[in-house]
Amino acid sequence: MAFGLKKDITWDKSRLPRHVAIIMDGNGRWAHRRALPRIAGHRAGAEALRKICRYAGRIGIEYITAYAFSTENWKRADDEVSGLMALLLSYLQNAEKELGGDEARIRVIGDRSRFADELQREMARVERVTADNKKLNVTLALGYGGRREIIDAIKKIAADAASGRISIDDIDEGTLDSCLYTNFMPDPDLVIRTSGEMRLSNFLLWQNAYSELYFCDTLWPDFNEKAFDLALRAYENRNRRFGGR
Ligand code: IPE
Ligand code: IPE
Ligand code: MG
């Protein structure tokens, strides 16, 4: 092996999470510590996501869902929001090359209606051009809020019930699952949140009912393959019981 080229750990596939959801937090603090503007932290955070997606695909993870912008993040200062939108646009323009080569299928979940037309077009384009990719599913949560998602699903179900398309007695977990933005993916096995905060901040509230939670102090822009390995190791040692024995 060439000097400096570290080999990836070979993971026991049966102990590897199929779906890792990530709350990428700490970009602002990362920038602040370096006396840089917050957007520099977001730029470094975008780079960290590229790295993690490539790595996740290599080791055999099937789904990565990354919380990139919440419904609540629209409340941030105008210059931060506009900086984030500019970054997002260039990220999406290069997403199929950056987020896992030609092997990742990229999708967006969330309320797109508040994003500029140009961004909405770019989201649709990335989804279209990566639709046949099979190795890794990368989903970006943008303008995403778990409560909003559940309310939207309830509205759909209520409309179906009112029009007689479904009967109230037939409503079950599967009905709600199928109305969520995430209806194409399994629930997350593992949720990682960086930067020391220990909360979900409205991320996949329904879907995370039985997910394993992993919190670390690393700020998102510093999160790398080694930090990801630590999270996967912790997951390997969890005993998931789902309420059973
Ligand atoms: C996470 O980093 C990225 C977004 C929410 C867009 P933050 O911007 O929340 O970073 P901190 O929490 O202020 O350090
Ligand atoms: C959660 O981070 C949202 C994203 C990572 C996109 P925030 O920084 O917005 O969450 P709070 O405000 O600390 O809960
Ligand atoms: Mg934060």
Side-chain angles (χ1 to χ4, degrees):
M1 201 194 314
F3 178 76
L5 263 185
K6 276 221 309 290
K7 211 165 165 282
D8 294 339
I9 296 173
T10 306
W11 295 91
D12 171 359
K13 285 271 153 62
S14 69
R15 307 287 298 168
L16 205 59
R18 270 187 85 194
H19 181 181
V20 181
I22 309 176
I23 303 173
M24 309 184 290
D25 201 9
N27 295 350
R29 279 162 281 171
W30 184 92
H32 184 74
R33 282 182 198 173
R34 287 164 179 74
L36 293 168
R38 290 179 65 84
I39 195 66
H42 295 313
R43 221 173 280 127
E47 188 53 46
L49 180 62
R50 279 186 193 127
K51 246 193 299 191
I52 292 305
C53 286
R54 290 210 198 103
Y55 183 56
R58 276 209 314 273
I59 63 176
I61 288 180
E62 292 172 58
Y63 294 85
I64 291 281
T65 302
Y67 204 7
F69 193 81
S70 72
T71 46
E72 291 75 22
N73 289 150
W74 286 113
K75 291 188 292 207
R76 294 196 179 187
D78 289 349
D79 63 335
E80 182 171 359
V81 172
S82 58
L84 273 165
M85 293 303 128
L87 178 63
L88 186 57
L89 183 64
S90 71
Y91 202 64
L92 288 171
Q93 282 164 342
N94 296 298
E96 66 272 30
K97 288 194 246 31
E98 305 288 359
L99 287 173
D102 51 11
E103 300 186 313
R105 177 165 187 180
I106 301 165
R107 283 178 271 219
V108 173
I109 55 169
D111 174 10
R112 302 180 191 197
S113 66
R114 273 184 80 175
F115 290 89
D117 290 348
E118 195 183 16
L119 268 164
Q120 292 188 38
R121 271 199 302 276
E122 208 47 50
M123 292 173 192
R125 186 197 65 79
V126 170
E127 289 182 328
R128 198 175 54 245
V129 301
T130 64
D132 293 330
N133 295 346
K134 300 244 161 6
K135 188 167 176 188
L136 172 69
N137 292 279
V138 175
T139 303
L140 300 174
L142 292 169
Y144 176 85
R147 288 184 169 183
R148 173 65 191 277
E149 178 186 33
I150 291 167
I151 287 170
D152 285 349
I154 290 171
K155 283 184 180 167
K156 270 190 241 162
I157 296 167
D160 282 350
S163 68
R165 268 195 297 275
I166 55 166
S167 105
I168 290 181
D169 289 338
D170 291 338
I171 297 171
D172 59 11
E173 291 187 12
T175 318
L176 197 92
D177 274 332
S178 69
C179 292
L180 298 174
Y181 309 136
T182 52
N183 55 14
F184 59 88
M185 55 164 83
D187 287 341
D189 299 295
L190 172 66
V191 178
I192 297 173
R193 184 170 187 150
T194 56
S195 88
E197 309 297 348
M198 299 191 197
R199 54 178 169 265
L200 288 175
S201 300
N202 208 8
F203 189 44
L204 302 174
L205 296 181
W206 167 272
Q207 299 87 335
N208 282 330
Y210 269 104
S211 308
E212 295 296 325
L213 307 180
Y214 177 86
F215 301 103
C216 64
D217 289 332
T218 311
L219 301 175
W220 175 251
D222 292 328
F223 195 85
N224 56 17
E225 292 88 340
K226 225 169 128 190
F228 196 54
D229 284 343
L230 287 177
L232 296 174
R233 276 277 175 255
Y235 177 83
E236 242 182 3
N237 292 313
R238 301 277 176 95
N239 178 10
R240 302 185 78 187
R241 286 188 290 273
F242 299 98
R245 288 247 133 204

